[in-house]
């Protein structure tokens, strides 16, 4: 009996050792599956309709995790299996499976395309900018020509000229032309604060007039510092009933760029709704899309000379300076001196 009991104990001990060995081996194996898979850096893009099973399989194939089922288990256990969001996840094979699971449970990086609209560009210039960035320029131009999208343009002009804010935009690659254009319109609307609109009203300008004048200032000024000076001259001339005599308005009305104007060919005598040589007051609409500096310059104009007289004339000299005068005789004198 004693020998038999000893034999049973030996068998039990061996079985126990084997059991612990098996459990230890299993734990070692599972722990190994949780460790880094050793693959290179990889950016996972999650698209609408993608499943966790599909994502886990991709990450296993890319050696971001050793086993996709383990990743799925970790996310189910933590309650984040349904947390995948559309967008990009930056991963690498040096991350543990738990780190990968935590990353996937967090926010996705949204893919965007950066597009810069410089100040003073016309509607006709914008489609090429968007086309270069990878969007459908022709489709966007079609929307840009839909004046009904802006209450300030609708029924007053043929396109959205003037109401598309120049800035750098980070746009979704899947954004529609309407969404893109609306983004620019919405950003311009942010400039029309209650205080600024009230300031424009004190100058006798509604929002559209303000933008029209700002577009002229944008086109005329060589730099931001000149903008309040030019705005002051234009406002004084408007008040006095003088024609504004702005070359860029002539160019816009003729569909030309400024360097293409030909005085000898009669360009400045040709009448268009935009010409401020042949018509008094503001042109028929904005002549470009002005930036914030031009918009604010109209609201904070410099209307007088150092001697207190009104600023009525300005010119750019060949030396790069701007010359401002009160009388036409003074203006002609500076033309002779600096041009």
């Amino acid at each position: 009996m004693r020998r038999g009991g000893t034999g049973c104990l030996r068998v039990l001990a061996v079985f126990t050792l084997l059991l612990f060995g098996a459990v230890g081996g299993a734990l070692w194996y599972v722990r190994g599956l949780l460790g880094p898979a050793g693959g290179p850096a990889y950016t996972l893009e999650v698209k609408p309709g993608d499943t966790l099973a599909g994502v886990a399989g991709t990450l296993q194939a890319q050696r971001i995790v050793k086993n996709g089922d383990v990743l799925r288990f970790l996310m189910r256990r933590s309650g984040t299996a349904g947390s995948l969001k559309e967008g990009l996840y930056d991963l690498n094979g040096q991350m543990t499976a738990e780190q990968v699971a935590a990353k996937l449970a967090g926010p996705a990086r949204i893919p965007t395309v950066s597009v810069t609209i410089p100040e003073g560009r016309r509607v006709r210039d914008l489609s090429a900018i968007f086309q270069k960035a990878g969007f459908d320029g022709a489709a966007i131009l079609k929307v840009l020509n839909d004046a009904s999208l802006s209450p300030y343009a609708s029924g007053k002009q043929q396109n959205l000229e003037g109401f598309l804010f120049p800035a750098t935009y980070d746009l979704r690659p899947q954004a529609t032309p309407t969404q893109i254009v609306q983004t620019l319109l919405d950003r311009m609307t942010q400039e029309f604060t209650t205080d600024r609109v009230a300031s424009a009203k004190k100058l006798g300008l509604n929002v559209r007039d303000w933008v029209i004048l700002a577009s002229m200032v944008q086109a005329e000024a060589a730099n931001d510092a000149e903008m309040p000076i030019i705005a002051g001259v234009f406002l004084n001339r408007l008040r006095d009933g003088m024609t504004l005599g702005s070359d860029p308005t002539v160019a816009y009305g003729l569909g030309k760029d400024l360097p293409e104007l030909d005085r000898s060919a009669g360009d400045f005598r040709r009448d268009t709704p935009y010409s401020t040589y042949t018509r008094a007051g503001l042109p028929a609409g904005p002549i470009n899309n002005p930036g914030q500096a031009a918009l604010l310059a109209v609201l904070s104009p410099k209307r007088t000379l150092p001697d207190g007289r009104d600023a009525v004339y300005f010119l750019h000299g060949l030396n790069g300076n701007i010359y401002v005068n009160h009388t036409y005789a003074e203006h002609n004198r500076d033309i002779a001196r600096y041009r």
Side-chain angles (χ1 to χ4, degrees):
M1 293 294 294
R2 188 173 299 172
R3 288 179 182 176
T6 301
C8 288
L9 289 173
R10 288 175 178 173
V11 171
L12 181 59
V14 171
F15 176 77
T16 301
L17 288 172
L18 291 173
L19 179 61
F20 276 111
V23 171
L27 291 174
W28 177 85
Y29 176 72
V30 171
R31 190 178 298 113
L33 292 180
L34 293 173
Y42 176 71
T43 297
L44 171 72
E45 182 177 5
V46 177
K47 300 177 181 179
D50 284 354
T51 64
L52 178 57
V55 165
T58 297
L59 295 181
Q60 179 177 326
Q62 296 293 331
R63 294 191 296 124
I64 301 300
V65 296
K66 290 184 177 180
N67 187 288
D69 291 335
V70 170
L71 177 64
R72 294 169 64 191
F73 168 76
L74 290 172
M75 296 191 72
R76 285 197 298 267
R77 185 185 66 179
S78 63
T80 60
S83 298
L84 276 181
K85 305 171 187 66
E86 180 184 354
L88 304 177
Y89 294 87
D90 298 314
L91 308 167
N92 66 74
Q94 305 308 308
M95 302 170 71
T96 67
E98 290 178 323
Q99 289 173 329
V100 173
K103 185 78 170 181
L104 296 180
R109 178 166 60 85
I110 304 301
T112 59
V113 177
S114 183
V115 180
T116 297
I117 307 299
E119 292 88 349
R121 292 296 192 272
R122 302 177 186 177
V123 160
R124 73 178 191 183
D125 303 322
L126 302 189
S127 61
I129 294 174
F130 284 108
Q131 185 73 35
K132 187 176 180 180
F135 295 98
D136 187 339
I140 290 175
L141 182 59
K142 184 177 180 180
V143 180
L144 291 171
N145 285 325
D146 184 0
S148 69
L149 294 176
S150 168
Y152 307 106
S154 183
K156 303 176 182 72
Q157 56 192 65
Q158 295 182 342
N159 56 28
L160 296 170
E161 193 82 86
F163 301 99
L164 306 158
F165 192 76
T168 295
Y169 296 91
D170 292 324
L171 303 169
R172 298 289 299 274
Q174 300 86 1
T176 67
T178 299
Q179 289 171 335
I180 291 171
V181 173
Q182 192 62 55
T183 298
L184 274 63
L185 290 170
D186 291 344
R187 177 59 188 85
M188 176 59 92
T189 301
Q190 292 176 21
E191 296 296 310
F192 305 151
T193 64
T194 301
D195 289 346
R196 292 177 185 174
V197 171
S199 295
K201 187 176 181 180
K202 290 179 181 178
L203 295 170
L205 305 171
N206 59 31
V207 171
R208 186 163 183 271
D209 294 338
W210 170 26
V211 172
I212 292 173
L213 188 52
S215 74
M216 295 174 60
V217 170
Q218 182 75 65
E220 290 276 10
N223 52 61
D224 290 359
E226 291 184 358
M227 289 182 176
I229 299 170
I230 294 171
V233 169
F234 284 148
L235 284 167
N236 287 340
R237 293 174 75 91
L238 280 172
R239 178 201 61 200
D240 296 343
M242 301 173 66
T243 55
L244 299 182
S246 173
D247 293 8
T249 64
V250 175
Y252 189 87
L254 297 177
K256 294 184 175 183
D257 291 323
L258 192 59
E260 297 173 339
L261 286 180
D262 188 343
R263 190 175 295 274
S264 64
D267 283 352
F268 289 86
R269 297 190 300 273
R270 292 178 61 185
D271 181 52
T272 75
Y274 288 88
S275 175
T276 55
Y277 277 83
T278 60
R279 301 192 185 196
L282 292 170
I287 60 172
N288 58 50
N289 292 284
Q292 187 180 72
L295 289 165
L296 296 182
V298 172
L299 303 183
S300 300
K302 186 175 181 180
R303 303 183 69 162
T304 58
L305 302 173
D307 62 9
R309 294 182 300 164
D310 286 342
V312 183
Y313 299 89
F314 74 88
L315 70 92
H316 287 100
L318 295 177
N319 57 9
N321 295 329
I322 187 171
Y323 297 91
V324 187
N325 292 293
H326 175 68
T327 68
Y328 188 56
E330 293 167 336
H331 179 60
N332 282 332
R333 177 201 65 199
D334 283 345
I335 290 176
R337 285 177 176 177
Y338 304 112
R339 276 192 177 178

